[in-house]
């Protein structure tokens, strides 16, 4: 078993806990203090949650949009980004012991299909996600399969460990595209796009360009290491400028984080022949797309990116954090106690905050 | 210099030659016997053409469609697939001598940009193509830069050597997708799709499925090695059938050869999560495409395929031909002397012939 | 849970079973019929063994060589290649049910280290192997962790399913080297070398060359698809012959299956610059090796191959078997009932048999 | 043609030039001022040399060791690392014009073999090298084939452009091994090893460890970004220390720059299972090597590295230089005018200098 970090095993909890639940088929979440602390099954561990990040997905659930209404079971505890301490393990658990500080991968699978058995469980046919399909981490305790546990390196602070899930999206996208010694366009500087800027730089991108339609985020992209950031509302001269800076050819790599159909098209136009595009941003609907000009004539490579590789991405993330080169302080802007969850969501939804974290312990 | 195959150097030709030219801005080509035999520049070789294949592109030029009208300079000799014998070399040529049997890559480039200098000249920024941008091979003689020459292995017959250009498209697509020990869907069984069936089998695909809307071509696909071929006009049950035969997951690889927007969409639906699609077929216009379901959620990889890698694809082609496993006899269906070019084009356009070759020597 | 193939769940067994054990620190194995049938732990399945293959490793254990004496615990049941039917599952098993026909990967790991968590458990830091470190499959029943189970496709006969472990070594080596449309040298035509010949051909190798010092095995290599097989005792002209057939450059790929130091050196000399060597054969001791000429000046790539990728190799193996192109009938030469184990081992050790299988059911 | 940087075409030179030649079959070089300025052939360019770097190979030639005596034709101008201005072009040159500031790849090839035609001319079968097989760059003028020219980005100073050849060795090694978000051991901190430290960091290595037996170089490795540097004369505890810092597993990547047989063995012991080793350092003779423990059991990948990829490495180098993250000032320690070549060589040979550059213009 992996060594625990504390010698004194904590007394395991019973009784009720505080949490946020999707209480009705409508907007917002509800705070409760009377939810029964869950018991782990034979192959599960129970984790006492320290901090949890609020994801864009949580915003969809809060706002109860069409996607949320079609997917989220009313009554569940939401939230899927977190760090905490293992508090109890199931009878057949062999890998971990109480006392270990951990995060966890949110995608669960039975482990039977091709991708689950070849290091790609993140795209299994039967994936379920904490806080979306079953109880999540906006709670004092969460139960997860031991397979999903990620022991957190001691040098990584809780605030950062709480957001390894979205950071992992950025790392997965950057590493899939192979940015080392290459020029990179980050298309869309939302939370994960901004993370992608600092990740790409730490991972060896030579020169990073960023586009968005939000000037403060564009300014932050430059602070995080982009050599240029362009306001895409001001026409497409930025594509010419990028070509001018790249031997007239375009960037080696596009990281598409916006999901905006115009941005997807323009990004491909800024990509050199033979270049690579990694697509993470989800368009709201099907896109009218010129395959000939954007992909086929240019001989480009496109990667669809979903979740985090289980668990290659997590190792890469740990290494990038240990490198000391990731700049996350300007991205994780706010922390609120669980009880101030309304203020936390409002800060995030208004755009005043970027990544907002809930303190739960 | 590469050894020539014949000891007696042929007397170099002068005077006029027979050829097909694009004589006006309209349909068809014109046969001429009074075209001056071209002289090679300092770095060019002149080749006496033995046989030349008629490409789908030549059909566009024959029919003078919108693309042809916008690209083809009236007056040029057309044709870009051929085999012949080097007949004269320019003053600064260092690699080849007269007498050598060769084909040639049709894409020319100045060799100055990123792709030209890294083994990917097929997607250079300044590519010109024989028989499209300058005089081609439907003629007794063609002049090409020595960089473009491909010495043909003695065991490969002229009939096959004449169609290494389109065969190279199929090989490029198959090899980019890495089909070894994988299930493969060939979407579209036109000339290159049929070639892709036999190439994929020779290259190690475990099981090949094919779709099209042309029953004789589907039957031929099975003869060439497909385990199933489906008429896509009969609904989408074929996708279910493929999934049933692939652990419920879908094929590992899609080779999209049709360019039909419906086929592109359906192919991606038949592709397993984490699978690879190589796109060669050119849609007539932009396609409404569901990036989320087809690429991003499934974590798929997409390769745009254009031309042939210069010259990795040519080496792969030679090896596949030397393996003795490529079945091209049912694909190269007709040969006509140059003078019977009208019959040749009609045979190809009617669908009676698949790959039609002109005898020129 | 994965669907079982039989509706009637077999009555689970109790009592004693027949098996072969390493009964003392010396040669041979001992047949027993009084070994207690093992009980599965919470996460294990118990499998009623149908057939089991005898591996070269089993021969080392039989002959009790230095390696065996240093590693094998006296008293264990040996054997690690098999097929059988799940007969009982542990209390926390979630993936499989009794009645399923399965083989199993022999490498077990706790699943905690980098390789275990990234699809490469075959090279984990804490690997244990059935029949080497713990009880194996030369027995009526074997207990294995459910993670290690491989459901066998219905079209694969028991005789073949029993040897998926060594076949997987060959497939792992071939697939690591990427042989599609390439020339391949198989260095050493022992059991796995011969398998590698048929696997490489099925996986798309264009032309296969083989070397060994055993004429009947060399003849079999040609029967299985090698274009040339060379007796390495007759000097090194075979290297010149290979170069003559490969544009003067050498083969694209070497699959080193012999472990002989001379063969390793010669194989690299037959490899072209920029080629790939996959090394499976284990030299008996450190080798004096010319890194400059063999690897560095030529810019070659070398892969060390161990076990089978868990479980990518198993999927590849299934596909290659489903392709119908693997020729194993001449490799699996003998079957004996468990009780005739002495005859079985002697047949294998004498070289009269190649792969020898024990019938246990 | 590529745009020249100066409008006024310089008058082309005639007459004699200053240079260093290998004047006899013995030690040292000789300074001459009466060498005829060479004329370019039809496909060559002539370059007026500004600065040239002294390579370890030049030291071998200076010291006239066994290798030099067996390879170097007495009478040639030596030197192969340089930057200068194109001064004259041959009659069939199509790519460049006089006035362009350039460096050049030193490997020339006829362009006929597999590697030359697939982006890997650095490992062609017929490679010749400037300053080794034919006249080099320790001279006012050098003639090179236009294929070998590399236009230097305006932002790169002459001092750095003069050493792109050895920097390219470091970049080739680092990029082959794929260091992004990985731990890296640089084994040997000579000139190229030190360059590899700064290159690996710029290319995204998370944590770099270095070994050598030269304390000042080890100190410089830390200054350039290594987290630890170990004196290999002090036993092998450094391997334990590396494992302690890498989850007990070892580094992801080894860059072997020393060529010392002990260092090669120890580096592999510090490499994790499944890791990658890129070997650039040339052992003086064959090495006794444990393939089982070092490569096969661990499932490692090994790349032999020679020269620079033509021209992928040059593009990567340019991008890494443009990133502003390469620290070369502490590596390029000295510059001397050509006439002070003795002092230059002595500074380099004594170890007082690291990379020493000659000013020639």
């Amino acid at each position: 078993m992996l060594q625990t970090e504390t010698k004194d095993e904590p007394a395991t909890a019973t009784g009720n806990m505080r949490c946020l639940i999707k209480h009705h088929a409508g907007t917002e979440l509800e705070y409760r203090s009377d939810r029964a602390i869950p018991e782990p099954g034979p192959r599960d561990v129970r984790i006492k949650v320290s901090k949890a990040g609020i994801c864009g997905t949580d915003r969809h659930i809060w706002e109860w949009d069409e996607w949320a209404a079609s997917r989220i079971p009313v009554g569940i505890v939401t939230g899927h980004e977190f760090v905490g301490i293992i508090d109890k393990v199931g009878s057949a658990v062999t890998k971990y012991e109480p006392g270990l500080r951990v995060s966890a991968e949110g995608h669960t699978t039975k482990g039977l299909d091709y991708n689950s058995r070849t290091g790609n469980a993140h795209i299994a046919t039967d994936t379920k996600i904490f806080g979306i399909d079953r109880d999540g981490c906006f709670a004092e305790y969460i139960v997860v399969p031991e397979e999903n546990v990620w022991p957190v390196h001691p040098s990584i602070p809780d605030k950062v460990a709480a957001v390894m899930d979205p950071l992992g999206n950025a790392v997965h996208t950057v590493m899939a595209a192979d940015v080392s010694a290459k020029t990179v366009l980050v298309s869309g500087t939302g939370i994960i796009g901004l993370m992608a800027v600092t990740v790409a730089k730490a991972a060896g991108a030579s020169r990073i360009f960023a586009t968005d339609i939000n000037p403060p985020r564009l300014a932050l992209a430059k602070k995080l290491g982009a050599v240029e950031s362009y306001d895409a509302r001001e026409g497409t001269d930025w594509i010419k400028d990028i070509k001018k800076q790249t031997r007239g050819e375009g960037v080696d790599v596009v990281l598409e984080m916006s999901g905006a159909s115009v941005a997807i098209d323009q990004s491909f136009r800024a990509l050199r022949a033979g270049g690579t595009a990694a697509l993470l941003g989800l368009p709201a609907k099907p896109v009218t797309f010129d395959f000939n000009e954007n992909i086929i004539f240019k001989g480009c490579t496109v990667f669809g990116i979903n979740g985090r590789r289980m668990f290659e991405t997590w190792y890469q993330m740990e290494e990038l954090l240990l490198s000391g080169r990731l700049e996350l302080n300007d991205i994780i802007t706010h922390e609120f106690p669980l009880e101030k969850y309304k203020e936390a969501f409002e800060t995030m939804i208004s755009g005043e905050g970027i990544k907002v974290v809930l303190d739960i312990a």
Side-chain angles (χ1 to χ4, degrees), chain A residues 67-255:
Chain A
W67 170 82
S70 73
R71 171 103 179 236
I72 307 299
V74 169
I76 66 163
V77 174
T78 63
H80 55 273
E81 312 170 356
F82 74 99
V83 64
I85 309 282
I86 293 181
D87 148 84
K88 189 175 183 181
V89 300
S91 60
V93 162
T94 59
K95 295 180 185 171
Y96 306 108
E97 288 182 349
L100 192 67
R101 189 172 70 122
V102 301
S103 183
E105 168 59 46
H107 288 58
T108 67
T109 152
K110 286 184 186 160
L112 281 167
D113 70 352
Y114 178 85
N115 286 306
S116 293
R117 300 198 84 179
T118 58
N120 292 298
H122 64 295
I123 47 174
T125 48
D126 63 341
T127 296
K128 301 290 177 196
I129 305 179
F130 311 151
I132 288 175
D133 301 303
R134 52 182 276 184
D135 279 350
C137 66
F138 291 157
E140 285 183 278
Y141 294 91
I142 181 173
V143 163
V144 308
E146 72 167 322
E147 293 300 332
N148 286 60
V149 165
W150 181 259
V152 175
H153 193 279
S155 74
I156 301 171
D158 269 2
K159 188 177 85 168
V160 171
V163 301
M164 288 182 83
D165 178 294
L167 180 62
N169 287 125
V171 170
H172 185 189
T173 312
V174 168
M175 297 307 294
D178 183 15
V179 301
S180 185
K182 291 182 180 162
T183 51
V184 174
L185 168 62
V186 176
S187 167
T189 54
I191 298 171
I192 298 178
L194 288 169
M195 285 175 166
V197 172
T198 186
V199 167
K201 188 176 176 194
S206 58
R207 292 178 291 155
I208 300 165
F209 305 86
T211 56
D212 203 296
I213 56 175
N214 179 328
R217 299 282 171 103
L218 287 168
L220 182 49
K222 287 198 78 161
K223 188 178 173 196
L224 295 173
V227 292
E228 304 284 353
S229 68
Y230 305 101
D231 192 324
R233 296 169 304 183
E234 298 171 2
T236 57
D237 280 355
W238 63 270
I239 299 177
K240 287 177 200 159
D241 191 61
I242 280 181
K243 293 208 172 179
K244 200 168 122 192
Q245 295 192 48
T246 52
R247 307 175 306 268
E249 304 196 29
V251 288
D252 298 311
V253 169
V254 163
L255 308 177

Side-chain angles (χ1 to χ4, degrees), chain A residues 35-71:
Chain A
R35 185 88 164 192
I37 293 175
E39 281 300 306
R43 301 172 68 137
D44 296 330
V45 304
R46 187 171 70 194
I47 300 160
K48 186 161 193 322
V49 179
S50 309
K51 292 183 193 290
I54 302 178
C55 177
T57 302
D58 297 315
R59 178 184 174 168
H60 292 296
I61 298 172
W62 177 273
E63 295 178 339
W64 203 244
D65 65 10
E66 196 177 338
W67 170 82
S70 73
R71 171 103 179 236

